[in-house]
Amino acid sequence: MNDTANPPRSSREVERWGVLELPLPGPPAGPGTGPEVVFVHGDRRFTAAGFTDDSGRRAVRFMPDEEGVWRYRGAGAEGAFLCTAARPGNHGPVRVGGLGFRYADGLPFHPLSTTVAEVTEPTLRALAAGPFNRVRLRCPAGTPLARLERQVTGLLARGIEAEVPLHGRDVAETVSRLAAFRNVWWRAPHDAELQATVLEFDHGRHPLTVHGGPETDFGAPWITHASVRHEEPRAVAGLVADLGKPVILDDCGAEGDAQEPELSLPAPELVSRIWEAVCQGGHATHGESYGARPWRTHGGAPRGEAPARLAFLREILADAPPGLRHEPGYYDASTVEVPGAYCLQYLGPHRYPVRHFRMGEGTWRVEVIDVWNMTVGAPVTVSADRFDVALPALPYHAVRIRRAPAA
C-alpha cells in the first residue's frame, strides 16, 4: 500500500522543510535535552532529541525534508504525520554545493550578510526592507535560549538566514531546540568535541563553521565553509583554492566612525571589499559602527551608505547564472565567470580606460557597471572571440559580459 496516497486519519500535516513540534508526555522538567524520538520515512531514519522550554513543557521538533507520510516513535510518543509540498518562498535549508551555496531545492544562494548583536523588532523591520539575506548574530552567551529562538524565528519569517553562535552555551540543548528551523547556521567553538555534539544533535545538517584568521584550521570534513577574519578580500581566491570550501570574510571591516581603524571605513571602501570578495569567488560580510549605539552591537536601523549599494549587488548576483567560479587568468582584476556564458569583472579603485577580454567565439552583450552610483550602462553587442571594452577611467566600476541569446 502506498502510505503517501493513504495517510493515517490521525496524521498531522507540515510542509516540507517546515517545523513539526510534538509535545512529549511526562511531568515538567528542568532545562537540558530530553529523550529521543525517531522519525522514519521509507528506509530513512532521523533522531531528534527532546527539550524542555522555559515553562517546563517537554517537546521535540523535527524538520522533514521529503514529502509523504513520516512515522515517529519514542519518549512515550508514537504516530505519523503528512509532509506536504513546500509553500512559495520556502526553498529549504542552505547547503554547500561545490565551492558555493545553494538552497535544498537547488536555487543558488549568494550570502549578503550583516553582523548584529541581537535582532530586536526595529532591527527586524530594517532587515525586512534591506538587502541582507543572512545575519551573523553576536548574542552574548548569557542570552536566554528563548530570546535567541525568537530572533531565529523572526528572521525565518522574513526569509533571512541566521548564524547562531554556540560559544559558552549548552550546545546539545541549543542545537536540539533550534535544529528544526531551516534558516539556521552554526558558529561553533574551536573544540572538536563540541563540534561533534553539534553533529550528534543536528538532524537537519545545517551549515557549520568556526571563525578565525586565515591561519585557523578549517579542514575538518564537518566544517562546511570557512568564516574568516581578514581585511584583504584579494586573499579569498587563494583561501578557496587551498581549502576546497566556500569562504566568507565574516569580519572584513565596518563602515563607521569608531575609534578602531577597521570600524571606521568609508562606505566606498567597505562596498569595494565586498564586491572584491564576490569576484574572487567568495563572499564578505557587511558591518556598520556609527555613533554610541552602532548597528553591529545594538541593531535598530543602519545609517550608512553601503546597504543600498549591496542591494544593487544582490540584483546583479540574482541575474547571474549558477556555477560562478573565480578566473585567475585576469590577475589584475577580480573576476568570476561561467566559461562560455558569463563574466563579471570588478575593477576596484583602479581607473582603467580599457579592458581586454577573450570570451570565445560567439555574440556577447557587454555592460559597464558603476558600482557606487548603481547604474548599468547601455549594452553593447560584440561578435568576436577577443575584444576591448572602453571604460570611463573612474574607480569602482565593473564589467559584465553575457552570451547574447540566439536570434
Side-chain angles (χ1 to χ4, degrees):
M1 179 178 292
N2 186 322
D3 281 349
T4 303
N6 299 279
R9 291 184 181 181
S10 61
S11 67
R12 306 163 184 257
E13 289 190 4
V14 61
E15 68 174 315
R16 187 182 187 190
W17 303 305
V19 179
L20 174 77
E21 181 168 319
L22 298 171
L24 296 179
T33 58
E36 296 178 339
V37 178
V38 177
F39 294 83
V40 179
H41 183 262
D43 59 357
R44 304 174 69 222
R45 298 168 62 88
F46 297 88
T47 300
F51 64 91
T52 304
D53 67 16
D54 293 3
S55 66
R57 184 181 64 96
R58 302 170 70 213
V60 66
R61 289 176 178 151
F62 180 68
M63 178 185 67
D65 63 354
E66 196 169 12
E67 294 176 39
V69 173
W70 290 74
R71 302 187 184 277
Y72 58 87
R73 170 183 274 184
E78 183 174 358
F81 68 93
L82 178 64
C83 178
T84 60
R87 288 178 285 189
N90 175 358
H91 301 289
V94 171
R95 308 293 192 202
V96 168
L99 299 178
F101 299 97
R102 56 174 175 76
Y103 289 103
D105 69 355
L107 183 72
F109 178 74
H110 300 287
L112 275 178
S113 313
T114 190
T115 297
V116 183
E118 293 196 57
V119 177
T120 60
E121 281 302 319
T123 309
L124 284 172
R125 288 194 295 270
L127 288 166
F132 305 112
N133 56 16
R134 173 177 171 266
V135 170
R136 296 184 71 240
L137 296 170
R138 298 178 69 241
C139 304
T143 302
L145 188 46
R147 198 160 85 197
L148 177 57
E149 180 182 318
R150 284 195 296 272
Q151 296 177 62
V152 170
T153 56
L155 292 168
L156 175 61
R158 291 154 179 84
I160 300 173
E161 304 295 302
E163 185 183 271
V164 175
L166 296 173
H167 303 76
R169 308 194 68 88
D170 183 320
V171 172
E173 180 184 16
T174 304
V175 174
S176 296
R177 188 157 165 173
L178 301 181
F181 298 112
R182 63 180 175 269
N183 66 324
V184 163
W185 301 39
W186 307 119
R187 184 164 76 252
H190 294 263
D191 182 310
E193 290 188 12
L194 291 178
Q195 294 165 19
T197 302
V198 177
L199 299 176
E200 178 183 354
F201 287 90
D202 179 22
H203 69 268
R205 293 295 183 261
H206 296 285
L208 168 65
T209 193
V210 294
H211 180 64
E215 73 286 351
T216 301
D217 182 2
F218 297 105
W222 54 85
I223 301 295
T224 58
H225 63 286
S227 172
V228 185
R229 182 176 61 252
H230 204 317
E231 61 194 54
E232 180 43 72
R234 294 201 49 117
V236 166
L239 289 169
V240 172
D242 290 344
L243 295 169
K245 298 179 180 184
V247 170
I248 308 178
L249 298 188
D250 273 323
D251 192 357
C252 72
E255 176 186 1
D257 59 4
Q259 185 64 31
E260 299 88 341
E262 287 306 306
L263 299 181
S264 58
L265 300 177
E269 173 61 21
L270 179 62
V271 172
S272 185
R273 291 185 184 189
I274 294 173
W275 264 86
E276 199 88 62
V278 166
C279 290
Q280 284 278 315
H283 311 276
T285 294
H286 164 269
E288 186 180 293
S289 191
Y290 282 113
R293 296 178 61 84
W295 166 261
R296 66 190 300 272
T297 56
H298 290 77
R303 295 166 44 188
E305 299 177 280
R309 276 79 189 173
L310 299 181
F312 178 67
L313 173 58
R314 183 170 175 172
E315 293 175 3
I316 296 292
L317 293 175
D319 234 7
L324 291 178
R325 292 293 178 266
H326 178 247
E327 171 47 62
Y330 296 101
Y331 65 91
D332 57 347
S334 298
T335 306
V336 284
E337 67 173 14
V338 176
Y342 181 93
C343 176
L344 180 65
Q345 182 174 102
Y346 179 58
L347 308 175
H350 303 291
R351 299 172 178 266
Y352 296 120
V354 66
R355 293 293 293 172
H356 179 72
F357 292 89
R358 181 174 182 177
M359 295 295 296
E361 295 294 337
T363 301
W364 305 95
R365 295 183 64 189
V366 181
E367 296 160 304
V368 176
I369 300 171
D370 185 331
V371 167
W372 182 252
N373 291 308
M374 299 175 286
T375 60
V376 179
V380 175
T381 301
V382 178
S383 296
D385 175 9
R386 309 181 187 197
F387 50 87
D388 290 336
V389 176
L391 296 166
L394 294 171
Y396 309 128
H397 279 64
V399 178
R400 178 170 62 183
I401 303 172
R402 295 180 279 187
R403 183 176 289 278

